[in-house]
Amino acid sequence: MKTQVAIIGAGPAGLLLSQLLNKAGVSTVVLERQTREYVLSRIRAGVLEWSTVELLRAAGCGDRMDREGIPHDGCYLSTAHGLFRVDFKERCGRQVMVYGQTEVTRDLYDAQDAIGATIIHEAADVALHNLGGDAPYVIYQKDGVTHRINCDYVAGCDGFHGVSRPTIPASVRRDYERVYPFGWLGVLSRTPPAADELIYANHPRGFALASMRNANLSRYYIQVPLSDTVEDWSDDAFWAELKRRLPSRFADTMKTGPSIEKSIAPLRSFVSEPMRWGRLFLCGDSAHIVPPTGAKGLNLAASDVHYLSRALIGACTAGDLSGIDSYSADALARVWQAMRFSWWMTTSLHRFPDQSEFDQKIQESELDYLARSDAAQTAMAENYTGLPF
Ligand code: RFL
Ligand code: PHB
């Protein structure tokens, strides 16, 4: 088989890249390790920056998001000093869209089906070859048969545990990492959201977040020790702990119900540089991971896709190599801004096991300053709604 761009991974990065390239007349083949059903069953991010919203519209898959997504003008923060709201629209003129990653992925699959794109599922043992030369190729197994795809470029959109990043020699790569000493226990429930907007709560017992998917689907998280397992948390125990950490104004009226998904995710910040090696381009979680506190993971995948789609369209349709030459630097500049913001949200809102009384006072002062200062709220609003790309 021959294609211009072989895309490894059918997560949001791979599917959105494929969609934008196909629309511009660039051929792609997407190789995905899992089944389509598995990809569509993953519950992950829930908040889209406005630039992500606009990119999805430009890709021709924004109609359902525009009908069913919920634009939010701000969010609540709950701290030792009480509850306050940051009004994004007032501070920086922008909003975010609450629309689940599961729905984004479904819309992207539908759009890819509509234009007859090639997505191969259950592709095993994907291996990338000749990336430093002019004629890269990808080998994979499907149903016990070995296949080969010849291509001009390879996009590594295969997430943190994919094959693309490890293909870049260790001597070329530089990895930067921070692992946080706690995880998030997440619950999805068919209940009305606790509030009209998201609530980020800093509490002596640990962080909590009240989020939502729609008028009858809520997503909640609490900070838990890394040693905890899902089996340690019955639904009743989860609701009781969540209510303790949320402001009573919301906790007292909150509707609870059976969990329809429950999982624990570790938190880490990770960046691998560079994001290009020869004809291989890393995109999304394959190159970087953020802790979910700033809601940036999916949005960073979208900004990488923005830079990479423009670069590959220039190279494949006009022989213009300037975009592929600057891709890594362009993407990384924005990645590090989101890293900093996600790290700041995480360190400001969580309880760290080794937090000294001094650290505690500094954290309280940070949040107190945010509560009082227009400038601090503007900085948060600008970063939360997304720096431009
Ligand atoms: P994805 O979504 O991980 O997709 C990568 C795809 O590549 C496939 N793959 C392979 N395919 C072929 N061959 C191989 N060798 C392959 N190895 C892997 C995988 O099956 C998968 O389909 O990466 P992408 O597209 O870069 O998108 C990034 C986002 O998914 C990610 O940033 C966010 O979901 C991060 N994230 C969250 N972000 C938020 O903003 N808020 C959240 O609440 C939130 N929760 C989460 C998350 C990520 C999680 N992961 C990765 C474990 C919860 C979890 C559990
Ligand atoms: C979610 O709804 O899953 C969500 C929202 C905001 C975050 C993280 C996760 O910061």
Side-chain angles (χ1 to χ4, degrees), residues 139-360:
I139 299 287
Y140 67 98
Q141 311 284 324
K142 167 104 179 162
D143 301 328
V145 181
T146 303
H147 298 265
R148 173 175 169 143
I149 303 175
N150 295 322
C151 56
D152 298 325
Y153 298 102
V154 179
C157 303
D158 46 353
F160 186 64
H161 300 287
V163 68
S164 299
R165 191 178 67 256
T167 303
I168 303 177
S171 58
V172 175
R173 252 172 52 208
R174 174 107 197 246
D175 293 349
Y176 302 83
E177 183 173 51
R178 162 153 310 179
V179 176
Y180 299 89
F182 40 72
W184 276 20
L185 170 63
V187 159
L188 188 70
S189 72
R190 245 180 260 294
T191 48
D196 54 331
E197 292 178 331
L198 272 63
I199 311 164
Y200 288 88
N202 172 279
H203 189 274
R205 296 177 65 91
F207 170 79
L209 168 61
S211 182
M212 64 191 74
R213 292 292 178 270
N214 60 45
N216 200 35
L217 197 56
S218 298
R219 181 73 166 155
Y220 297 105
Y221 299 94
I222 55 172
Q223 173 188 348
V224 293
L226 278 173
S227 51
D228 280 15
T229 63
V230 168
E231 291 69 39
D232 296 331
W233 287 92
S234 67
D235 285 0
D236 286 348
F238 177 83
W239 292 119
E241 187 58 32
L242 178 69
K243 284 184 170 191
R244 277 188 207 112
R245 298 184 191 186
L246 291 178
S248 57
R249 174 178 147 191
F250 298 114
D252 293 350
T253 54
M254 195 173 81
K255 298 274 183 299
T256 62
S259 62
I260 51 179
E261 197 264 355
K262 196 188 279 172
S263 54
I264 294 182
L267 270 68
R268 92 170 68 220
S269 301
F270 173 86
V271 184
S272 184
E273 296 187 356
M275 287 173 63
R276 173 197 181 185
W277 185 60
R279 288 179 176 251
L280 169 67
F281 300 86
L282 301 183
C283 184
D285 275 17
S286 69
H288 41 73
I289 296 285
V290 282
T293 328
K296 290 283 165 253
L298 173 59
N299 292 297
L300 268 188
S303 67
D304 288 355
V305 167
H306 162 79
Y307 295 119
L308 186 55
S309 60
R310 291 213 313 198
L312 291 173
I313 291 165
C316 293
T317 65
D320 172 7
L321 303 185
S322 60
I324 62 174
D325 286 340
S326 65
Y327 169 69
S328 182
D330 292 345
L332 282 168
R334 196 172 185 284
V335 164
W336 277 110
Q337 289 297 314
M339 283 293 144
R340 186 203 65 79
F341 179 67
S342 305
W343 163 86
W344 174 77
M345 286 280 282
T346 304
T347 51
S348 302
L349 290 168
H350 289 74
R351 214 33 70 116
F352 284 70
D354 60 353
Q355 203 157 332
S356 67
E357 286 179 6
F358 177 83
D359 297 339
Q360 177 64 36

